[in-house]
Amino acid sequence: MPRLLLLRHAEAEIPPGTADADRPLSLRGHRDAEAMGRLVAARDWRPDLILCSPSRRTRETLVEVQKSLDGGTAVHFLPELYNGAENEYRAAIRRSGAEAACLLLIGHNPTIHQTALHLSASGSPGLIEQLRQSFPPAAFATIEVDGAWDAINSDAGRLVDLVTPEEAFRQLAL
């Protein structure tokens, strides 16, 4: 069963006069993104393919996550993941997923949150409710997908995990 990791970029700064696409991660954002990468590696959920928005904050989140991965994972920077709608996120997954057993998508709110909600047809009621409540910076949702990537649509999977940076730090005892 294919596994989808949806990761919201980590906390970003808002420097005066900086275009939205050029906003860097904050110090906390760098720390949180690195912790999320460590957690993904600890759970052996290493992606076979990474889809990433081309914005600076998503690229910096990716760099921090990659510190804990083996390297060599193909990365596709997709313009539609920056300011794209939820149907564009699903289209990117359908188009790019190919044979990946585990696919990581790094994107932006509110779209990444909407995508997680729409793809989570089932899962523990507690996790589903937690997902409905919020999807903070650097949080990731893990969804097991029914069927092939090219057929992914709403209600296509089961939410199996939802982790915030605070939970990652507790689980990793950092």
Side-chain angles (χ1 to χ4, degrees):
M1 180 174 289
R3 178 174 288 138
L4 176 63
L5 305 175
L6 295 174
L7 176 63
R8 180 179 173 191
H9 67 78
E11 180 184 90
E13 295 180 349
I14 308 174
T18 302
D20 184 69
D22 297 328
R23 291 176 45 212
L25 291 184
S26 66
L27 291 176
R28 176 184 174 176
H30 282 280
R31 186 193 75 216
D32 289 353
E34 184 178 6
M36 299 314 274
R38 290 178 67 178
L39 187 66
V40 168
R43 293 182 176 186
D44 201 28
W45 289 354
R46 289 168 167 72
D48 302 307
L49 176 64
I50 301 170
L51 306 179
C52 187
S53 161
S55 76
R56 179 175 176 183
R57 60 192 177 273
T58 51
R59 288 183 288 119
E60 288 183 0
T61 299
L62 171 64
V63 167
E64 296 297 339
V65 168
Q66 285 179 314
K67 289 179 179 179
S68 298
L69 303 178
D70 295 334
T73 303
V75 178
H76 297 165
F77 294 98
L78 304 176
E80 63 267 35
L81 298 181
Y82 177 74
N83 284 336
E86 191 261 335
N87 64 330
E88 292 174 283
Y89 273 43
R90 282 186 284 124
I93 293 166
R94 281 194 299 271
R95 188 176 58 254
S96 302
E99 300 300 317
C102 184
L103 177 65
L104 169 62
L105 187 148
I106 304 173
H108 304 267
N109 247 12
T111 309
I112 194 102
H113 188 193
Q114 294 166 345
T115 303
L117 285 168
H118 288 143
L119 293 178
S120 298
S122 64
S124 90
L127 278 181
I128 299 274
E129 184 56 31
Q130 183 183 352
L131 178 61
R132 282 190 186 113
Q133 295 299 314
S134 72
F135 201 65
F140 79 80
T142 304
I143 300 169
E144 290 181 347
V145 178
D146 296 326
W149 295 118
D150 61 358
I152 198 167
N153 212 334
S154 292
D155 300 330
R158 182 173 67 93
L159 181 65
V160 296
D161 205 358
L162 180 63
V163 181
T164 64
E166 292 78 15
E167 293 165 4
F169 282 110
R170 277 194 300 274
Q171 291 179 27
L172 295 168
L174 295 176

